[in-house]
Amino acid sequence: MAQETLEISATPAQLGAIHDVMERFWRAVDNVPGCSPDRVWRLKFETAVGEIGTNIARHAYSHGKEGPMRLRLSLYADRVEACFTDWGLAFNDSSRPPEVVGDDVFDVPEGGYGLAIARAALDRLDYRRTPGG
């Protein structure tokens, strides 16, 4: 199993660290025999992870406040997971934009479609709020 964890301040200036940890993770995945997600799949996964991280940085700690964000990437025998944790404002799922329609997840208007892009790129996307954040 391959695993990488990143803990950063959830600010737009720190988002480049997500790309760095993704590169380390893929290198670790490449060293696991019999596990080699193809390039297109990896790009879709990276795009979803980037969109979710950006949403946390832009919306979870609004009004000029900063807070922590953790990303844990894990490779299992049957899946790859990204798990974000933050302690910011709760996500309001009722205001989400329309779903991305069509086969090209990258062919959508810019702005406000981050989660729709993530949902289209992933097999599964879950959100839950716990008492601790």
Side-chain angles (χ1 to χ4, degrees), residues 51 55 97-101 105 108-120:
E51 291 292 342
N55 278 359
E99 299 296 320
V100 175
V101 178
V105 69
V108 295
E110 193 167 329
Y113 282 84
L115 286 178
I117 290 169
R119 282 186 177 96

Side-chain angles (χ1 to χ4, degrees), residues 8-10 16 33 39 42-43 61 73 75 78 86 97 99 105 116 121 125 128:
I8 59 174
S9 181
R39 185 176 180 274
R42 288 180 191 216
L43 287 173
Y61 300 102
L73 300 164
L75 170 70
D78 62 342
D86 72 78
E99 299 296 320
V105 69
L125 176 62
R128 70 185 159 142

Side-chain angles (χ1 to χ4, degrees), residues 19-83:
H19 298 289
D20 296 339
V21 77
M22 289 296 309
E23 286 180 27
R24 287 193 309 272
F25 179 68
W26 291 134
R27 282 195 301 270
V29 166
D30 289 339
N31 289 323
V32 175
C35 181
S36 185
D38 70 41
R39 185 176 180 274
V40 172
W41 189 93
R42 288 180 191 216
L43 287 173
K44 286 182 178 183
F45 186 79
E46 286 179 29
T47 298
V49 168
E51 291 292 342
I52 293 166
T54 298
N55 278 359
I56 292 170
R58 287 187 179 161
H59 304 294
Y61 300 102
S62 61
H63 310 299
K65 296 180 180 179
E66 290 185 18
M69 171 172 58
R70 180 183 314 131
L71 168 60
R72 187 183 68 241
L73 300 164
S74 303
L75 170 70
Y76 298 95
D78 62 342
R79 68 193 181 280
V80 175
E81 285 185 358
C83 179

